[in-house]
Amino acid sequence: MRRRRLRASEKSAFLLLNGVRRVESGEVLKMEWGGEYSLDSSNLDCLLNILPGELEFQQILSDLDEKIKKNTSSIEQCLKDLQSEVNEIYTNEILQSTTDCLQWLNNCSFSSLRPSSTHHGELMEFLRTLQSLLKNEQNQEEMILHFLLDLSSQCGVSFPCTPSGTSFELTSSLHAIEDDSTMDVKSLWDDVRLHLRRFLVNRLQSQEETNTNALQQQREFKTQCIQQLLFLYPESEVLTKYQNMQNKLVSDLLQNCILSSCGETNFDKVVHGYQSSVPTLCTMIKEDLYILSGTIDPSSSLKFINETYLDTITEEMTVLLERLCELQFKENALHIVKANKISKKHRGTVHAVASQEYHKKGRNFCLTLYQLKCLSQLIKLFLLMEEKIDELSAEILFVPSFTEKNKNVQGVLKKASGELLIGETRANETSVLPEQLLQVEEPILLNFGWRNAFKDLSSSVAHCITIAIEDFSTKILQHEQKEEFSAAGCAMSLVNNQQMRESCRAVQQEEQPKRIAKFCSDIMEELDTLLPLALACRDDSLQEIRANFVEACSKVATAVLARLEEKSKDVPSKAPLQDLYAALSTAIYVFQHFTMYNNLMRETSKKPLFLVPVQQYQEFINVLQFQVTNYCVRVCATSILQDAESHHWDDCKAFYEGERCSFSVQMWHYFCCALHRDLWTILPPKTAQEILTDVLEQSLAILSSRYCQACPSYKRTPQIRIDIAAILMSTEDMLWSVCSSVQEFLNPHEDRDLKIYKIHSHCNSLLSVLAILTSPLKNLYETFLNNSDEQLPQDFSKVFYHPLHWLFCIPSSCSSLPKTPSAREMAAQGQLKLLLSQPYCNLNLLLETLLHHDCLLVKILLRSSRNEVLNHDEQCSLLEQINNKQPALIETIFTVLSYCTLSPKSLGIAFETYMEKEQLWNCLYNMTVSSCGELEPEVIRCLKLTLINSVKGIVKQIISLMHSWEATENYGMYQHKQIVPESLLKTVPKEWNYTPREMKRKESGKCFTRLAAQAVSIVISKLPTVIACLPPPVKYFFFLAERKMSRNFAELKKAGLLVWNLIVIICRIFEDGNTAELLTGATLDRWSKEKLSLVRVCLESIMGKQKSGPKQVTQKVIQSIEQQRPNWIESQLLKARKLSADCASLTVEGATLEEGGIALGFTEQKINMMVLDICHKPGGSEYLRQIYHIIWLNEEYLKEQLSCENFSEDGVTSSQCLPLTLMGREEQPVFNPFQVYRQSCVKVFNQSTITEWNWDWSNLLPSYLGLNQMTFRVLLAHRPTMGLNDL
């Protein structure tokens, strides 16, 4: 038995060693002990879930700098104490500096310390007493373990940790003792620790068997057991035993999952078995990674995972697949015998024919499509497991992934044991040769060799996958062709593609096809199922599988492409026009699929594998898109717009007495509506908008050309006016659908938005025809006569001839457009109309609409969802939604706006009126934590959850501090209930100077003062950083609330409302131990809850809100903090308040500058950044889509609210309650022209309204004073009342 005399600095050396280990593993060095070196030197644990501003960055960096400085001073103090004590003990080796101290610490081996002069008889008596207690008394093991650990830590006694003499197996028995008098110290100690080892191993195994505790508690328990084993035995021996235990668990788990069901083992059973076992294995690996990360170095942890889990899984899988191969080979042999007797044609399954062709090449056999699918599912499980383990190792151990195995190892060089190579050459390393210095061992990485288990199957899978793909693709194509012949003239069978597969989520929503051909969907679904077989290829043994898969997919792609080409050629002679859209959508779907395949396989292949199919489909898509556009335009030009009766312009009779437009214009409008519906229903949104834009632009070009050439009679002139007005109204209605942004709608540029610009140009040309050709001659004469003497500028046409000029001449569109064509901000009605006209949920446009005009739409939604509007039944329905954890509308809006960090005022502006009407501002003063059965306001609940999540790190750190203090200062009460027997205490050698825990607790009355002071210091020191990490919208919300409450609550002026609420929430968490347990997942006993309650009293005293409690203890705690750092608490509170106020004031100033500048609203780049930030937050994209769906369901109601002139929230009450459920609305299966007439044409295409328009010619005609003279003369010549001779 050796006694270490480094008592005072023992904790310093231990902390330094742990700190170095954490730095090696990539963690931030943190010192969290409650000793005399530092009071609150804790690390930064606030997660940066937002993009901090300049002030927030400064606070975070200053906090980090402060922690680093404190850690540095603590380390220096530890090293100085260690240096002085080492120099006192080892007079022959004097440490001159802290660098020498680090080198000594790195080379330190406790086995080399000099033994103390403890008498041999005393040691023998002490060990015999331990042995006797273990043998003769029951349930003494835990008490003795803690007693030995206490001796080691308090007295510096180093118990031998040598390898055991017998094998480390569970069945090992105690050493046989023949004569106590002849037993030496070593044998006695071996007997004691063997008994303790059996106790700890049994506890580990019983924990594995029950598995009833929470995961975190189980993890802590196993970590404690392993650390206690490491106290008794060497690391290699402990890990070997634990590895054997875990290895057996893994083998039993895999075998039980597969063999649990009756019958012979088959592919299906294997897949189901591994589907149930892989999640359990991942959980076990995660648990062991956490356990080992705090016990051994990362390289040893990875070695343990490799040998215990990954190698075992590979071995079990190899044996299992070999068994399946044997069974499949025998089954194929029986098929061969039958095939020789009975010659039948091949019927589509991969059976006897393939076996006859391939059985000569060895033990190859044939697999059915179902068996290939099973193998693919199995490989997919291993791929997912490999990815999961990769993420866990990177998260917990900070080690490279599987894919980085072959990369060059750079950075800090380490030895195999993890020892750092210090730059200074040591004395005992002077003789090392340069060649030896260059030899660096390869680092240990994760090595999951599950692919090796599939090597024997690779040739069979490679052969059968080609046959299987060709077989099912041929079947599907033949079945589709039969259906076509049986139902001649019917449209192509389509299926929805709304539920995109997980592998296809990389495609943007605007590029995802909505409906595709059913036969293609079936083929691609089968290929997706077999895809993991090709993705598993990383070495040469499995390359053949991928090569055959690529070759078979290429053949399938060619066959599908040929079928789509046939379908497109049948339009319009044999198939409807919808087949052309379906063929285009299907081709895009296949193109995206093979592009995805190519990207997934690019990780293991440097060259593109699907280059030819991708290029073929790209060319076909371009040709087909042009064909669709060209066909629609030709239909308009040659069929729809050919209207001899309506366009008989020189007829002296009025067309239907001038009360309706031409038939061709009305049919053109119907055609555009039907095209709009088909494109929006079938094609990807982006492609649909492109085609509709092309058709609209080219058809308008035809209409503009024809009406510019029209020479109507006097009776037909009103028809020209009505036709052009109807065309402009229909175009205005379509324009909302073809423009994907406000900028594109309001400010079309000839270089950026050429087609939109051309649409405006054609409409302006039509309007000029209407103005010159159909205006009263008197108004025309007076307009040009009054301005004939004025000299017009050369750019007159650019001044008056704005691209949006024609839109502002249509009375029906004025409510949705800005007041002038040059305005850059759209009206609220127009913003909503543009959003709902898109072919998909445009998240950028949605967020812009929500933030538009000071969140006007959000205010309407909030006002309409107020609880006062709900009756009793609706309130019960709302409570059911809350119980079902379905987010309510208010919660959804709050979450989205709180994520808008680049628009921090939006949350406060949107909820300001709502908070005032609901009288909720005062609720922010008394915010509680516990969730009672009462219906809490959603806004307050959301704010509370935000603040609770922000202080969760502080609560966890305080609870961890409590546990560490309880374990060190209160070990006897905390860890075990038994008291060390007096008979054992008497045998402790006197030289060790051991003080029992019970006596020590009586002597140390200042422990809690230091504990509470450290806990309070942690809370106060972290407040500025917590505020810096809060989302800016939440900070501005509290800033707004404080301005409304500042007169009523004067005591808040010192700390601020936000700081007040943060401390109040922390106090409420400490007050309710159940809330603290639920929040952190930790288990608190009565001692911890009492101490947390006392910390709460101290915090309340600091805030001036103490109601009752031990004032004397509170004063001592606060005084101890003030003695070390005078006025520090007050300065931290003011710092936190200043940080909150400065961030809010900068927000107000930034918003004021933005409003006063040139750019109104939000730029597309700013909106895009906020949308990306929201979508990366938990549930962000789903919240946006939920808001969009509610807006979509209540389109008419919202339009009615927005259209109210002189809108005032106080004067307008909501009579309709918004539906809070995501209830879908069924679309019409086919286009119904009568429904279009009722719903759309009555509002957009109301001919009676057009005929009654009172055109303001005095404002319209001056716009054409700068019209080109040639154009003006031609149009003027077409008027029915004058010819060229009258000019």
Coordinates of all heavy atoms in Angstrom, one line a residue, residues 17 21 146 213 241 351 363 375 384 424 447 510 574 673 715 737 776 940 1144:
L17 N -5.2 17.3 -15.4 CA -5.2 16.1 -16.3 C -6.6 16.0 -17.1 O -6.6 15.8 -18.3 CB -5.0 14.8 -15.5 CG -3.6 14.6 -15.1 CD1 -3.5 13.4 -14.1 CD2 -2.6 14.4 -16.2
R21 N -7.2 16.4 -21.2 CA -7.9 15.4 -21.9 C -9.0 16.0 -22.7 O -9.3 15.7 -23.8 CB -8.4 14.3 -21.0 CG -9.3 13.3 -21.7 CD -9.7 12.2 -20.7 NE -8.6 11.4 -20.3 CZ -8.7 10.4 -19.4 NH1 -9.9 10.1 -18.9 NH2 -7.6 9.7 -19.1
H146 N -17.1 3.3 -1.2 CA -17.1 4.7 -1.0 C -16.1 5.1 0.1 O -15.4 6.1 0.1 CB -18.5 5.3 -0.6 CG -19.5 5.1 -1.7 ND1 -19.3 5.6 -2.9 CD2 -20.7 4.5 -1.7 CE1 -20.3 5.3 -3.7 NE2 -21.2 4.7 -3.0
N213 N -34.9 2.3 -15.5 CA -34.6 3.6 -15.2 C -34.5 4.5 -16.4 O -34.5 4.0 -17.6 CB -33.3 3.7 -14.4 CG -33.3 3.0 -13.1 OD1 -34.4 2.9 -12.5 ND2 -32.2 2.5 -12.6
K241 N -13.4 -6.8 -19.7 CA -14.6 -7.4 -19.0 C -15.9 -6.7 -19.5 O -16.9 -7.4 -19.9 CB -14.5 -7.3 -17.5 CG -15.7 -7.8 -16.8 CD -16.0 -9.3 -17.1 CE -17.2 -9.8 -16.4 NZ -17.5 -11.2 -16.8
H351 N -36.0 -17.2 -61.7 CA -36.0 -18.6 -61.1 C -35.1 -19.5 -62.0 O -33.9 -19.2 -62.1 CB -37.4 -19.2 -61.0 CG -38.1 -18.7 -59.8 ND1 -37.6 -18.8 -58.5 CD2 -39.3 -18.1 -59.7 CE1 -38.5 -18.3 -57.7 NE2 -39.5 -17.9 -58.3
R363 N -20.8 -21.1 -56.6 CA -22.0 -21.2 -55.7 C -22.8 -19.9 -55.9 O -23.2 -19.2 -55.0 CB -21.5 -21.3 -54.3 CG -20.8 -22.6 -54.0 CD -20.4 -22.7 -52.5 NE -21.6 -22.5 -51.6 CZ -22.4 -23.5 -51.3 NH1 -22.3 -24.7 -51.9 NH2 -23.4 -23.3 -50.5
L375 N -32.9 -7.6 -49.2 CA -31.5 -7.3 -49.1 C -31.3 -5.8 -49.1 O -30.4 -5.2 -48.4 CB -30.6 -8.0 -50.2 CG -30.5 -9.5 -50.0 CD1 -29.7 -10.1 -51.2 CD2 -29.7 -9.8 -48.7
L384 N -28.1 3.6 -42.8 CA -28.6 4.6 -41.8 C -27.9 4.4 -40.5 O -27.6 5.4 -39.8 CB -30.1 4.4 -41.6 CG -30.9 4.7 -42.8 CD1 -32.4 4.4 -42.5 CD2 -30.8 6.2 -43.2
E424 N 9.3 21.1 -26.4 CA 10.7 21.0 -25.9 C 11.2 19.6 -25.8 O 10.4 18.7 -25.4 CB 10.7 21.6 -24.5 CG 10.3 23.1 -24.5 CD 10.3 23.7 -23.1 OE1 10.8 23.0 -22.2 OE2 9.9 24.9 -23.0
N447 N -14.6 1.7 -37.8 CA -14.4 0.7 -38.9 C -15.6 -0.3 -38.9 O -15.6 -1.2 -38.2 CB -13.1 0.0 -38.8 CG -12.8 -0.9 -40.0 OD1 -13.5 -0.8 -41.1 ND2 -11.9 -1.8 -39.8
E510 N -40.7 24.2 -55.7 CA -41.1 24.9 -57.0 C -40.7 24.0 -58.2 O -41.2 24.3 -59.3 CB -40.5 26.2 -57.1 CG -39.0 26.2 -57.1 CD -38.4 27.6 -57.2 OE1 -39.2 28.6 -57.2 OE2 -37.2 27.7 -57.3
K574 N -54.9 11.4 -81.0 CA -55.4 10.3 -80.3 C -55.6 10.5 -78.8 O -56.3 9.7 -78.2 CB -54.5 9.1 -80.5 CG -54.3 8.7 -82.0 CD -53.4 7.5 -82.1 CE -53.2 7.0 -83.5 NZ -52.3 5.9 -83.7
C673 N -57.9 30.1 -68.7 CA -58.3 29.6 -67.4 C -58.1 28.1 -67.3 O -57.6 27.6 -66.3 CB -59.8 30.0 -67.1 SG -60.0 31.7 -66.8
K715 N -70.4 51.7 -85.9 CA -71.2 50.9 -85.0 C -70.4 49.8 -84.3 O -70.8 49.3 -83.3 CB -72.3 50.2 -85.8 CG -73.4 51.1 -86.4 CD -74.2 51.7 -85.3 CE -75.4 52.5 -85.8 NZ -76.3 53.0 -84.8
S737 N -50.6 35.4 -61.5 CA -50.2 34.0 -61.4 C -48.8 33.9 -62.1 O -48.0 33.0 -61.7 CB -51.2 33.1 -62.1 OG -52.4 33.2 -61.5
P776 N -63.8 59.5 -77.9 CA -64.6 60.6 -78.6 C -63.7 61.5 -79.4 O -62.7 61.9 -78.9 CB -65.4 61.2 -77.5 CG -65.4 60.2 -76.4 CD -64.1 59.5 -76.5
I940 N -48.5 34.5 -23.7 CA -47.7 34.4 -22.5 C -47.0 33.0 -22.4 O -45.8 32.9 -22.0 CB -48.6 34.6 -21.3 CG1 -49.3 35.9 -21.4 CG2 -47.8 34.5 -20.0 CD1 -48.4 37.1 -21.5
A1144 N -32.5 46.8 -28.2 CA -33.9 47.2 -28.6 C -33.8 48.6 -29.3 O -34.5 48.9 -30.3 CB -34.8 47.2 -27.4

